[in-house]
Amino acid sequence: MGNFHETLGINELKNKNAIWKALLAEFLANVLLNFFGCASCTHISGKPPSLVLIALTFGLVIFILAQTIEHVSGGHINPAVTAGMMATGNIGIVKGILYIIVQCLGALAGSAVLKALTPEDLHKSGLGNTQLAPGFSPIQGFGVEFFLGFVLILVICGVCDPNKPQAKPAATLAIGMAVAVGHLATVDFTGSSMNPARSFGSALIANNWTDHWVYWAGPILGGVAAALLYKHALAAPNLGPMR
Amino acid sequence: MGNFHETLGINELKNKNAIWKALLAEFLANVLLNFFGCASCTHISGKPPSLVLIALTFGLVIFILAQTIEHVSGGHINPAVTAGMMATGNIGIVKGILYIIVQCLGALAGSAVLKALTPEDLHKSGLGNTQLAPGFSPIQGFGVEFFLGFVLILVICGVCDPNKPQAKPAATLAIGMAVAVGHLATVDFTGSSMNPARSFGSALIANNWTDHWVYWAGPILGGVAAALLYKHALAAPNLGPMR
Amino acid sequence: MGNFHETLGINELKNKNAIWKALLAEFLANVLLNFFGCASCTHISGKPPSLVLIALTFGLVIFILAQTIEHVSGGHINPAVTAGMMATGNIGIVKGILYIIVQCLGALAGSAVLKALTPEDLHKSGLGNTQLAPGFSPIQGFGVEFFLGFVLILVICGVCDPNKPQAKPAATLAIGMAVAVGHLATVDFTGSSMNPARSFGSALIANNWTDHWVYWAGPILGGVAAALLYKHALAAPNLGPMR
Amino acid sequence: MGNFHETLGINELKNKNAIWKALLAEFLANVLLNFFGCASCTHISGKPPSLVLIALTFGLVIFILAQTIEHVSGGHINPAVTAGMMATGNIGIVKGILYIIVQCLGALAGSAVLKALTPEDLHKSGLGNTQLAPGFSPIQGFGVEFFLGFVLILVICGVCDPNKPQAKPAATLAIGMAVAVGHLATVDFTGSSMNPARSFGSALIANNWTDHWVYWAGPILGGVAAALLYKHALAAPNLGPMR
Ligand SMILES: [Ca+2]
Ligand SMILES: [Ca+2]
Ligand SMILES: [Ca+2]
Ligand SMILES: [Ca+2]
């Protein structure tokens, strides 16, 4: 039973206080991600604002939220990140699934609050709902979202590697800027979700589920691939127990 | 009397030299915030410049000012920050009120200097006065400004937590980028004040007080809510006295 | 034979595991550089996106990739960087040539994946192929690319100087921002390659080799000049063995 | 004689090797500042590029150059900075004047190289020459440039304070972002020089000296005011000799 319990991560859940705090932090961060991120996609003129504006919003909001809650929950704020951490054993399966559930609920709440706090004629633009651009097949969209999940989780592994303390001061900035890079390059292709919870929240509020599977399969499979590649081929050598 | 004096923070005021320096730093920072911030909203063509330009100006000016004066006054530069710190007992009530007064005076001086140093036909755009966009009710504007104050003070609490020394190197950058995120996402909704003193200074110079209460109630209540939530649910565990 | 072997850097190659990991890291980073960088030059409308968007993408992707793989390969991601390191003896000739080969293969793969994942009508804009702007002679283009290689490698030498530990926390950010500066200033002149592998990958995919020599000679000669100048005139004094 | 020699800073000049290296570093940095900065103002279409592009170029180039040469010369790259350091006794008068001379020569060389490396029809836009916008009186322009010098040198003093080691990791970034803030807010007012050498180099190449005094008096007086204010009212208390 020991090994099985370990994989599920039952022991992680014994500290009730810590798990509740972590779930609260993930929930709250996803509320703020969807509120501010989708507000950046929503412009009073009804026209979409500049892509640089959208990309900087999503990148910087991840930077500041990760820097703020990292000590409570690890600062995943994204089911693709949680899936990558589950694949490499950094988080147990039960705790990981709880994370993903509250991330989705938080994103939904953030999108709902945005809808409540904006006049109705702003809702037509979709409130940040992610869609494939005309001409992109679902497979191409999946490929783009795979690369987006891949680069984000590769960077997270590289800058949070416990044997690379020198990467720590700029770690959360690099993570946020990975989100910014993804948006700068591909927001015009797929909306550059990179994050199933963020897409789920906007899709439910906009009630538009076209090609929604792309935004789950792409980032999660890309993220798991990056996490496994990093762990087995790129991880820094152990600094030893005395560090 | 001891407890009552403690709440008011009378003892904080005994070091006259330190309190004067702190008030000077807060005053000066608010002068520069309103001068540069509102100059970014004021464009020679009379048309408003890009929202990215405005957001980067407000975000980066808070980063550089907080990094510069943080050792003198804590680098609040914002009554909503001071109110959050008062709610959690990080600053006494009397000192906090003095901070808020000089913040408002500094913002007023910064907006006045901007008016004096620009030709008259540039003043028509309002010199950075914050207003609700058409279609937004005051309650919606209040909600947006509540979230703006909430995210700013949540980030401040998270990155200045004395038990999170690892967050220190990028702390002021994260604070500035929280201001940038707020502007990127919602400057087209409410002007994204996030800061009652900043709005007070421009409102007095523009002599336009429409919905002005929104810019006091929103950021302050959001800031107090975030400070209390962080203190009671998210603060890092004590590192101990030997740190 | 000892000296000759040393120059070639044969000994560096003895740790087979380490060299394979380094080549994998350089390959992967150049895949992601060309995929995201050239995606930022490719816009669904067919019109080129804003120069700020392109510059931030290239600058930030170098920041995050260097921060992620720096411990594996040094994070060159660019034959001009590798050439500068070869000129100053920081990497052996054989290992350096292997780096340059995989960098070119990675860039090619990244551009190929971008082509596969985008609809055909987006390919007309050249998928990020670098070209001289009208009016620029090849010699002027060479001069611009020389300065681009010069500033990038000068910054790398300055922030990675082993005797300047204080520069470490912001080192990879400064390197990325050197790439951003080059693009902001001169992307409208030469496409601001700064990187022969990046130009090689797009040139092969676009099958357009006009003035291609400029993108090899410029950054490499500029990079070698900067590396030698830094080593002989600007390097920090030795901190001593006890550091 | 001792005191007089000290004020002039004759002793600083005894280490011939160090002073030559410092002058080389200041020269080189000003070459790169004017080359890249003014290239960002010069666009192939003949129209000026976006103000965000210009502001990010000047801000980021100062960040990367200061981070690169700071250990050689202190990384002034600007006569207003050198003047502020002279006013507070951080650099001797003779060395300071030598700095200012090579800064001007470097800026001139950078602007000259930009002219040589660009087609003639790009030169009409003035190659980055700073001018007052229509409607601004020279006194208003002086006031704006005074504030620009003031904020830059105030930030430099605040982040390089030897008794604030916690400010060190983000110090050069804050300095660069002070330059970015100045440009974002006021490049449309005065060209936001902030730097007499930068304006001198472009003015000589463009042979346009209208209101040129503004670009010397404004930043230098603002810089001296900020340096004196910081030293006497805001400097951090001494950490003691054991630090
Ligand atoms: Ca918006
Ligand atoms: Ca302006
Ligand atoms: Ca694109
Ligand atoms: Ca240009």
Side-chain angles (χ1 to χ4, degrees):
Chain A
M1 281 298 279
N3 263 0
F4 184 61
H5 269 192
E6 236 170 67
T7 307
L8 288 175
I10 300 294
N11 293 329
E12 285 179 334
L13 306 179
K14 293 221 167 122
N15 183 343
K16 287 263 166 49
N17 199 19
I19 188 79
W20 277 113
K21 284 183 176 185
L23 295 177
L24 170 63
E26 290 290 315
F27 175 82
L28 199 58
N30 281 277
V31 171
L32 295 170
L33 168 64
N34 266 43
F35 178 72
F36 286 106
C38 296
S40 83
C41 306
T42 305
H43 192 266
I44 45 158
S45 75
K47 284 183 292 190
S50 87
L51 303 186
V52 171
L53 185 147
I54 295 173
L56 290 177
T57 309
F58 278 100
L60 292 173
V61 83
I62 289 298
F63 160 47
I64 63 173
L65 294 173
Q67 183 85 351
T68 299
I69 66 161
E70 163 241 350
H71 66 290
V72 188
S73 68
H76 295 193
I77 324 175
N78 184 342
V81 176
T82 303
M85 299 300 114
M86 286 159 80
T88 51
N90 284 319
I91 189 174
I93 288 179
V94 175
K95 189 176 171 193
I97 290 173
L98 292 176
Y99 266 43
I100 292 175
I101 291 171
V102 296
Q103 287 159 356
C104 289
L105 294 176
L108 177 59
S111 285
V113 169
L114 176 63
K115 190 172 183 179
L117 292 182
T118 45
E120 217 181 316
D121 58 319
L122 292 195
H123 305 168
K124 283 173 272 179
S125 70
L127 289 170
N129 188 29
T130 49
Q131 289 294 316
L132 300 186
F136 279 80
S137 71
I139 297 295
Q140 288 180 320
F142 166 79
V144 169
E145 290 289 336
F146 179 93
F147 266 78
L148 290 168
F150 185 89
V151 77
L152 175 58
I153 279 74
L154 188 74
V155 169
I156 291 175
C157 292
V159 300
C160 300
D161 190 326
N163 297 306
K164 277 178 69 181
Q166 77 276 16
K168 190 80 188 148
T172 53
L173 182 63
I175 293 168
M177 292 307 98
V179 172
V181 162
H183 281 74
L184 287 164
T186 69
V187 69
D188 58 325
F189 294 169
T190 64
S192 65
S193 168
M194 312 181 88
N195 185 334
R198 175 246 176 279
S199 281
F200 169 81
S202 346
L204 192 61
I205 292 298
N207 193 26
N208 182 338
W209 301 92
T210 318
D211 302 318
H212 189 65
W213 69 271
V214 162
Y215 300 105
W216 283 86
I220 286 181
L221 292 179
V224 168
L228 293 174
L229 180 71
Y230 188 86
K231 184 179 180 181
H232 295 297
L234 300 172
N238 207 302
L239 286 177
M242 292 302 293
R243 186 169 66 82
Chain B
M1 281 294 283
N3 262 0
F4 183 60
H5 269 192
E6 236 172 69
T7 306
L8 288 175
I10 300 294
N11 293 330
E12 284 180 335
L13 305 179
K14 291 221 169 122
N15 183 343
K16 287 263 166 50
N17 199 20
I19 188 80
W20 276 113
K21 284 183 176 185
L23 295 177
L24 171 64
E26 290 290 315
F27 175 82
L28 199 58
N30 281 278
V31 171
L32 295 170
L33 167 64
N34 265 44
F35 179 72
F36 287 107
C38 295
S40 83
C41 306
T42 305
H43 192 266
I44 45 158
S45 75
K47 284 182 293 189
S50 86
L51 302 186
V52 171
L53 185 147
I54 294 173
L56 289 178
T57 309
F58 278 101
L60 292 173
V61 83
I62 289 298
F63 161 45
I64 63 175
L65 294 173
Q67 184 84 350
T68 299
I69 65 161
E70 163 240 349
H71 65 290
V72 189
S73 67
H76 294 192
I77 324 176
N78 183 342
V81 177
T82 303
M85 298 301 114
M86 286 160 81
T88 51
N90 284 319
I91 189 174
I93 288 179
V94 175
K95 189 176 171 192
I97 290 173
L98 292 176
Y99 266 43
I100 292 176
I101 291 171
V102 296
Q103 287 160 357
C104 289
L105 294 176
L108 177 59
S111 284
V113 169
L114 176 63
K115 190 172 183 179
L117 291 182
T118 45
E120 218 181 315
D121 59 317
L122 291 195
H123 304 167
K124 283 173 272 179
S125 69
L127 291 168
N129 188 29
T130 49
Q131 289 293 317
L132 300 186
F136 278 80
S137 71
I139 295 296
Q140 288 179 320
F142 166 79
V144 170
E145 291 288 337
F146 179 94
F147 265 78
L148 289 167
F150 185 89
V151 77
L152 176 57
I153 279 74
L154 188 75
V155 169
I156 291 176
C157 292
V159 300
C160 300
D161 189 325
N163 296 307
K164 277 179 68 180
Q166 76 275 18
K168 188 81 189 150
T172 53
L173 183 63
I175 294 167
M177 292 307 97
V179 173
V181 163
H183 281 74
L184 287 164
T186 68
V187 69
D188 58 324
F189 294 169
T190 64
S192 63
S193 167
M194 312 181 87
N195 184 335
R198 175 247 175 281
S199 281
F200 169 81
S202 345
L204 191 60
I205 292 297
N207 193 25
N208 182 337
W209 301 92
T210 319
D211 302 319
H212 189 64
W213 69 271
V214 162
Y215 300 105
W216 282 87
I220 285 180
L221 292 179
V224 168
L228 293 174
L229 180 71
Y230 188 85
K231 184 178 181 181
H232 295 298
L234 300 172
N238 207 302
L239 286 178
M242 293 301 294
R243 185 168 65 82
Chain C
M1 281 299 280
N3 262 1
F4 183 62
H5 268 191
E6 235 172 68
T7 306
L8 288 175
I10 299 294
N11 293 330
E12 284 179 335
L13 306 178
K14 293 223 168 119
N15 184 342
K16 287 262 167 49
N17 199 20
I19 187 81
W20 277 114
K21 285 183 175 183
L23 295 177
L24 170 64
E26 291 289 316
F27 174 82
L28 199 59
N30 280 276
V31 170
L32 296 170
L33 167 64
N34 266 44
F35 178 72
F36 287 106
C38 296
S40 83
C41 306
T42 305
H43 192 265
I44 44 158
S45 75
K47 284 182 291 188
S50 86
L51 302 186
V52 170
L53 184 147
I54 295 173
L56 289 178
T57 309
F58 278 101
L60 292 173
V61 83
I62 289 298
F63 160 46
I64 63 174
L65 293 173
Q67 183 85 351
T68 299
I69 66 161
E70 162 241 349
H71 66 290
V72 189
S73 67
H76 294 193
I77 324 175
N78 183 343
V81 176
T82 304
M85 299 300 115
M86 286 159 81
T88 51
N90 283 320
I91 189 174
I93 288 178
V94 174
K95 190 177 171 192
I97 289 172
L98 292 175
Y99 266 43
I100 291 175
I101 291 171
V102 297
Q103 286 160 357
C104 289
L105 293 176
L108 177 59
S111 284
V113 169
L114 176 63
K115 190 173 182 180
L117 291 181
T118 45
E120 218 182 315
D121 58 318
L122 292 195
H123 304 168
K124 284 174 272 179
S125 70
L127 289 167
N129 187 31
T130 49
Q131 290 294 316
L132 300 186
F136 278 80
S137 72
I139 296 296
Q140 288 179 319
F142 166 79
V144 169
E145 290 289 336
F146 180 94
F147 265 79
L148 289 167
F150 186 88
V151 77
L152 176 57
I153 280 75
L154 188 74
V155 169
I156 291 175
C157 292
V159 301
C160 299
D161 189 327
N163 297 307
K164 276 178 69 180
Q166 76 275 16
K168 190 79 189 149
T172 53
L173 182 63
I175 293 168
M177 292 306 98
V179 173
V181 163
H183 282 74
L184 287 164
T186 69
V187 69
D188 59 324
F189 293 169
T190 64
S192 64
S193 169
M194 312 181 87
N195 184 333
R198 176 245 175 281
S199 281
F200 170 81
S202 346
L204 191 61
I205 292 299
N207 194 25
N208 182 338
W209 302 93
T210 319
D211 301 319
H212 189 64
W213 68 271
V214 161
Y215 300 105
W216 283 87
I220 286 181
L221 292 179
V224 168
L228 294 174
L229 180 71
Y230 188 86
K231 184 179 181 182
H232 295 298
L234 300 172
N238 207 301
L239 286 178
M242 292 302 293
R243 183 169 67 83
Chain D
M1 283 296 282
N3 262 1
F4 183 60
H5 268 192
E6 236 172 69
T7 305
L8 287 175
I10 300 293
N11 293 331
E12 283 179 336
L13 305 178
K14 292 221 169 124
N15 183 343
K16 286 263 166 50
N17 200 20
I19 187 81
W20 276 113
K21 285 183 175 184
L23 295 177
L24 171 63
E26 290 289 316
F27 175 83
L28 199 58
N30 280 277
V31 171
L32 296 170
L33 167 64
N34 265 44
F35 178 73
F36 287 106
C38 295
S40 83
C41 306
T42 305
H43 192 266
I44 45 159
S45 74
K47 283 183 292 189
S50 86
L51 302 186
V52 171
L53 185 147
I54 295 173
L56 289 178
T57 310
F58 277 101
L60 292 173
V61 83
I62 289 297
F63 160 45
I64 63 174
L65 293 173
Q67 184 85 349
T68 299
I69 65 162
E70 162 241 348
H71 66 290
V72 189
S73 68
H76 295 194
I77 324 176
N78 183 341
V81 176
T82 304
M85 298 301 114
M86 286 159 81
T88 50
N90 283 321
I91 189 174
I93 288 178
V94 175
K95 190 177 171 191
I97 290 173
L98 291 175
Y99 265 42
I100 292 175
I101 292 171
V102 297
Q103 287 160 355
C104 289
L105 293 176
L108 178 58
S111 284
V113 169
L114 176 64
K115 190 173 183 180
L117 291 181
T118 45
E120 217 180 317
D121 58 317
L122 291 195
H123 304 168
K124 283 173 273 178
S125 70
L127 289 168
N129 187 32
T130 48
Q131 290 293 318
L132 300 187
F136 278 80
S137 71
I139 296 297
Q140 287 179 319
F142 165 79
V144 170
E145 290 290 335
F146 179 93
F147 266 79
L148 289 167
F150 185 89
V151 77
L152 176 57
I153 279 73
L154 188 75
V155 169
I156 291 176
C157 292
V159 300
C160 299
D161 189 325
N163 296 308
K164 277 178 69 182
Q166 77 275 17
K168 188 80 189 149
T172 54
L173 182 63
I175 293 168
M177 292 307 97
V179 172
V181 163
H183 280 75
L184 287 163
T186 69
V187 69
D188 59 324
F189 293 170
T190 64
S192 64
S193 168
M194 311 181 87
N195 184 334
R198 176 247 175 281
S199 280
F200 170 81
S202 346
L204 191 60
I205 292 297
N207 194 24
N208 182 337
W209 302 93
T210 318
D211 302 319
H212 189 64
W213 69 271
V214 161
Y215 300 105
W216 282 87
I220 285 180
L221 292 178
V224 168
L228 294 173
L229 180 71
Y230 188 86
K231 184 178 180 181
H232 295 298
L234 300 172
N238 207 301
L239 285 178
M242 293 301 294
R243 185 169 65 84

